[in-house]
Amino acid sequence: MSETIEIDELVFSVKRSTRRRTVGVTVERDKSLVAHLPQEVALDEATKLIASKLLWVHQKLAEQGESAREDVFRIAEFVDGEGFHLLGKHYRLKLVDVPKNVTGVPSVRFEGDRLLLRREQAASGGKRIEEYYTRAAHPYLNETVQRWKRIVGVEPGRFVQVMDLGYRWGSCSADGTLNFHWRTMQLQPRIIEYIVVHELVHIKVPNHSEKFWKMLSSVMPDYEIRKAWLKQKGGEL
């Protein structure tokens, strides 16, 4: 039977070589993952080493994954009436004209049921929206982590990281650093809580074994409902 390594729902096929002296990982063009191992290295040891490089793997998948992201996340158009979400609430985009002599008007802001974007920046709307969500995510996710870490009983890295994780909502690095996709800020607070708690539990259990799901259930009994919603609806945001 061929060997595999599973970490954070990523599956690495294992290739061993008598000539290899170190553990390595490659991300293939089809986005399949390969763990290259020396002949004598145990799977448990290799898993720990690969887990320490997991953020690199997610970033490589994201770099390759423009088409993959289109399969998972809806691609927004920056025209009047386009829909966006912030913490689960729906907003309609409105492009606004700002006179050249007026300063201090932010590129993106939410007012009432509208997301206002400066018209001259519509061409770079994707970047502007990402910057806004990333800024908003840091304090919000840090507060959520601080609130739930006591319940889970873990001590994560001091600050969360917010970035483009490709098709992943979150990940947990081997040193306990929690990483979240900037798109997380579009989700309902209760779904964001599920993602945060999921990654906090990974500090104790780095895989998705029965032990992991039992621990998650013990701190969030309705996690299956939240998980199902994220799987079914998350990609629409």
Side-chain angles (χ1 to χ4, degrees):
M1 180 180 294
S2 59
E3 294 178 302
T4 59
I5 292 174
E6 181 178 350
I7 311 173
D8 197 21
E9 295 186 352
L10 298 177
V11 179
F12 299 79
S13 59
V14 173
K15 291 186 178 180
R16 293 184 180 270
S17 171
T18 56
R19 294 180 294 177
R20 190 169 187 91
R21 295 292 177 264
T22 59
V23 174
V25 171
T26 55
V27 180
E28 304 298 328
R29 289 186 177 182
D30 62 356
K31 295 186 275 296
S32 62
L33 304 173
V34 181
H36 302 276
L37 275 56
Q39 193 67 40
E40 69 282 1
V41 169
L43 281 183
D44 287 349
E45 181 182 350
T47 299
K48 291 178 182 179
L49 290 170
I50 293 171
S52 70
K53 302 295 184 183
L54 205 58
L55 181 57
W56 176 87
V57 174
H58 284 303
Q59 290 172 336
K60 287 298 180 182
L61 287 169
E63 289 173 8
Q64 291 188 10
E66 290 300 327
S67 60
R69 285 198 293 274
E70 290 177 7
D71 291 340
V72 177
F73 295 121
R74 183 179 65 84
I75 305 302
E77 294 183 58
F78 293 92
V79 296
D80 284 329
E82 176 65 286
F84 290 85
H85 290 77
L86 178 65
L87 295 177
K89 295 181 180 180
H90 186 257
Y91 298 83
R92 291 290 181 187
L93 179 67
K94 181 176 177 59
L95 300 178
V96 294
D97 296 302
V98 178
K100 292 182 178 180
N101 63 337
V102 175
T103 60
V105 178
S107 301
V108 177
R109 64 189 190 277
F110 288 82
E111 290 186 4
D113 62 353
R114 295 285 186 175
L115 186 164
L116 306 181
L117 173 67
R118 295 176 59 148
R119 188 182 303 276
E120 77 272 15
Q121 295 184 351
S124 60
K127 181 179 180 181
R128 301 306 175 194
I129 292 293
E130 179 178 344
E131 290 172 347
Y132 181 93
Y133 282 130
T134 299
R135 288 194 302 271
H138 279 285
Y140 187 91
L141 291 172
N142 271 299
E143 188 278 329
T144 305
V145 167
Q146 292 301 310
R147 179 159 37 91
W148 277 94
K149 74 176 187 179
R150 301 181 182 91
I151 300 171
V152 180
V154 295
E155 189 59 48
R158 186 175 179 186
F159 298 108
V160 303
Q161 295 192 65
V162 181
M163 62 191 71
D164 188 337
L165 287 176
Y167 58 87
R168 301 288 299 160
W169 290 105
S171 69
C172 177
S173 300
D175 63 358
T177 299
L178 303 182
N179 314 290
F180 297 100
H181 202 302
W182 58 265
R183 290 179 183 268
T184 300
M185 289 302 291
Q186 299 177 95
L187 300 168
Q188 302 170 15
R190 62 189 299 272
I191 304 302
I192 297 176
E193 285 184 330
Y194 163 70
I195 295 171
V196 167
V197 174
H198 185 116
E199 301 308 331
L200 284 170
V201 174
H202 271 315
I203 295 176
K204 285 189 173 181
V205 186
N207 51 47
H208 288 101
S209 61
E210 183 178 354
K211 179 181 178 182
F212 171 85
W213 297 113
K214 283 185 176 180
M215 185 173 294
L216 180 55
S217 179
S218 71
V219 295
M220 183 175 278
D222 67 341
Y223 86 85
E224 290 184 337
I225 297 174
R226 305 189 200 207
K227 179 185 177 184
W229 188 98
L230 183 63
K231 183 176 182 180
Q232 294 170 8
K233 301 292 186 179
E236 298 176 5
L237 300 180

